[in-house]
Amino acid sequence: MNDLAGKHLVLGLSGGIACYKAAELCRALVKAGATVQVVMSQAAEQFITPVTMQALSGRAVFTSQWDKRPSAGVDNQMPHINLSREADAILIAPASADFMAKLIHGRADDLLSLMCLARPIDRVPLIVAPAMNREMWAHPATQRNVTQLRADGTRVLDVGQGEQACGETGDGRMLEPSELLDDLLAFFTAKTLLGRRVLVSAGPTWEALDPVRGLTNRSSGKMGFAVAQAAQRAGAQVDLVAGPVALPTPRGVRRLDVSSALDMQAAVLALAEHADVFVAAAAVADWRPAQMAAHKIKKDGSGQVPLLEWVENPDILAAVAASERAKRGDLYCVGFAAESRDVLAQAQAKRLRKGVPLVVGNLGPETFGRDDNALILVDGRGHTELPRASKADLACRLVHEIAQRMALG
Ligand code: CTP
């Protein structure tokens, strides 16, 4: 994953036990392609050493405004100016209650607070990840500070909930490094679907034959989940209807697990009533057994194979595309076509057959279960190839292509 490639971040640590998570966060940011400059308060140094953060970021850590070393390549003994000028964002993680109180007053008595105050406010966004005891978080003073920070243009991230270092349980934990990385990626994503409601179907369906057997397919759900995540990062409110897959729910996405095609159809039709976009990434089983046996079907010893009767499943996408809202243009429908050959021709035919404005073609056997794919987008004007890339990258591209087409009307 290289989603933060080209981004330079200042990671600021104020004092708190959550500093241990900042080490993993720093590593995650670097792995995502960012360059990271760490700045620590004196209180943070009580919890984790600059040596650790230097090793993980690969850069000298700054802790004092009196530091005489050149900073950001400039030898003027002004780290508070130099370090902030080159940043695409400053992320304070953890942000202690005390540090947030300092920020709202424009206090500048150490390098970290001084640098935040001295940053070019229009160009360098400030993001804070609060971390504190639940009583401190709930205190009216802290909540007042959060409101003031937001009014001043600072992005205050959510806090986590759960067991705290002090032994108490409640709100106030710092988000996990993976959650912070998600929020940061969302922060840098253009909000092309802001205010839109996006419905995504993903994964296979399971058509039960008896309590232990069934018909399914090799869809991993990865592409649909990536689309849900990309749409959420682009500002949409996302509902994800997922067949049986073992994937974590993308942050900020509402997920509904289903099993059979009929379950998926019921969930999708209900949610489509309020959606602006429907992306049908699910690999819906084409058939289901006419009847599900109440108990496991047994061999009868004769060597005869049981005769199974199958019925065709409803076409969920075609049904949604035929709805009044879709026909009026209030619901933009996108289909997938997982083929084994002639992707372009098959996707073109499928687009017409399903009555949808956009179909995303791909070679099924070359992508099932993998983290990458190559896509062909087919619409009424022609086709666009999206060369092989990670499913996360392709999902971002697809979301922006959808947003563009919706904007054109
Ligand atoms: N789809 C659906 N309901 C179905 C079958 C497919 O909503 N019962 C949707 C899929 O989510 C996908 C698109 O229709 O967006 C195409 O699915 P695909 O399985 O490729 O096509 P089929 O319509 O099943 O046609 P075929 O199996 O003949 O290729």
Side-chain angles (χ1 to χ4, degrees):
M1 191 191 63
N2 231 9
D3 298 349
L4 288 176
K7 293 274 184 271
H8 180 69
L9 303 168
V10 169
L11 175 59
L13 279 65
S14 61
I17 186 60
C19 278
Y20 83 92
K21 292 187 192 174
E24 202 183 325
L25 172 64
C26 180
R27 198 175 156 71
L29 296 174
V30 171
K31 264 179 97 172
T35 50
V36 181
Q37 172 63 58
V38 176
V39 176
M40 294 170 64
S41 71
Q42 277 191 358
E45 285 187 82
Q46 298 293 317
F47 294 91
I48 189 168
T49 71
V51 177
T52 300
M53 298 308 292
Q54 174 167 338
L56 294 171
S57 64
R59 286 180 172 229
V61 170
F62 284 79
T63 59
S64 160
Q65 69 266 45
W66 312 120
D67 199 319
K68 292 193 167 49
R69 293 172 300 173
S71 50
V74 186
D75 193 4
N76 59 1
Q77 292 186 30
M78 293 190 195
H80 63 293
I81 301 290
N82 306 331
L83 296 179
S84 66
R85 294 301 181 272
E86 59 168 9
D88 290 298
I90 298 175
L91 169 62
I92 308 294
S96 65
D98 180 56
F99 192 73
M100 296 200 312
K102 273 170 98 161
L103 281 177
I104 66 149
H105 289 292
R107 300 264 315 264
D109 59 354
D110 72 344
L111 176 58
L112 194 55
S113 53
L114 178 58
M115 182 191 65
C116 291
L117 190 68
R119 81 187 201 281
I121 197 165
D122 297 329
R123 189 160 58 76
V124 182
L126 178 62
I127 307 168
V128 301
M132 64 200 72
N133 163 270
R134 67 188 174 104
E135 298 291 1
M136 293 165 73
W137 175 248
H139 196 284
T142 303
Q143 290 305 312
R144 221 166 35 234
N145 294 347
V146 168
T147 304
Q148 187 58 52
L149 277 170
R150 289 192 170 131
D152 291 346
T154 301
R155 171 67 65 97
V156 182
L157 301 180
D158 289 341
V159 291
Q161 202 268 342
E163 206 175 300
Q164 304 201 304
C166 52
E168 297 178 3
T169 302
D171 289 342
R173 287 169 58 105
M174 188 169 80
L175 294 177
E176 296 305 315
S178 63
E179 296 172 316
L180 291 172
L181 179 62
D182 273 345
D183 283 1
L184 206 59
L185 290 169
F187 181 80
F188 284 121
T189 303
K191 297 290 173 275
T192 51
L193 287 178
L194 190 64
R196 302 286 198 172
R197 294 188 67 155
V198 174
L199 170 62
V200 181
S201 71
T205 62
W206 169 259
E207 310 301 328
L209 188 57
D210 67 20
V212 296
R213 305 185 186 91
L215 176 74
T216 188
N217 58 63
R218 289 174 57 207
S219 166
S220 65
K222 284 181 181 173
M223 192 66 216
F225 274 59
V227 171
Q229 178 156 58
Q232 192 274 339
R233 285 183 185 160
Q237 198 181 323
V238 182
D239 283 305
L240 173 62
V241 176
V245 292
L247 291 175
T249 308
R251 186 161 162 72
V253 166
R254 213 164 56 162
R255 171 176 180 173
L256 187 63
D257 285 324
V258 295
S259 181
S260 68
L262 292 180
D263 294 343
M264 185 173 276
Q265 182 193 35
V268 164
L269 289 181
L271 290 165
E273 295 279 324
H274 309 286
D276 302 303
V277 183
F278 173 42
V279 181
V284 183
D286 289 312
W287 307 280
R288 66 178 183 279
Q291 256 136 26
M292 180 188 152
H295 296 286
K296 189 179 171 195
I297 302 169
K298 294 287 193 185
K299 292 192 283 285
D300 63 7
S302 69
Q304 290 279 314
V305 179
L307 270 184
L308 301 173
E309 208 188 315
W310 299 91
V311 291
E312 194 170 303
N313 270 326
D315 191 318
I316 302 171
L317 175 59
V320 174
S323 69
E324 279 307 313
R325 295 193 62 241
K327 284 199 285 193
R328 271 204 311 269
D330 294 342
L331 172 59
Y332 189 87
C333 293
V334 182
F336 268 74
E339 307 297 339
S340 60
R341 60 177 176 168
D342 302 335
V343 177
L344 179 57
Q346 300 272 8
Q348 283 165 335
K350 216 160 258 186
R351 191 181 85 83
L352 298 177
R353 202 165 70 237
K354 306 258 174 183
V356 296
L358 180 64
V359 162
V360 183
N362 63 145
L363 275 173
E366 283 186 18
T367 184
F368 287 142
R370 292 177 52 152
D371 290 325
D372 62 349
N373 200 355
L375 305 178
I376 301 182
L377 310 192
V378 177
D379 65 10
R381 289 190 310 243
H383 67 274
T384 313
E385 293 196 19
L386 304 188
R388 188 157 288 281
S390 71
K391 287 183 177 172
D393 285 350
L394 289 170
C396 283
R397 286 279 313 270
L398 176 59
V399 158
H400 295 303
E401 296 275 347
I402 292 171
Q404 263 179 11
R405 284 168 174 78
M406 290 176 71
L408 291 175

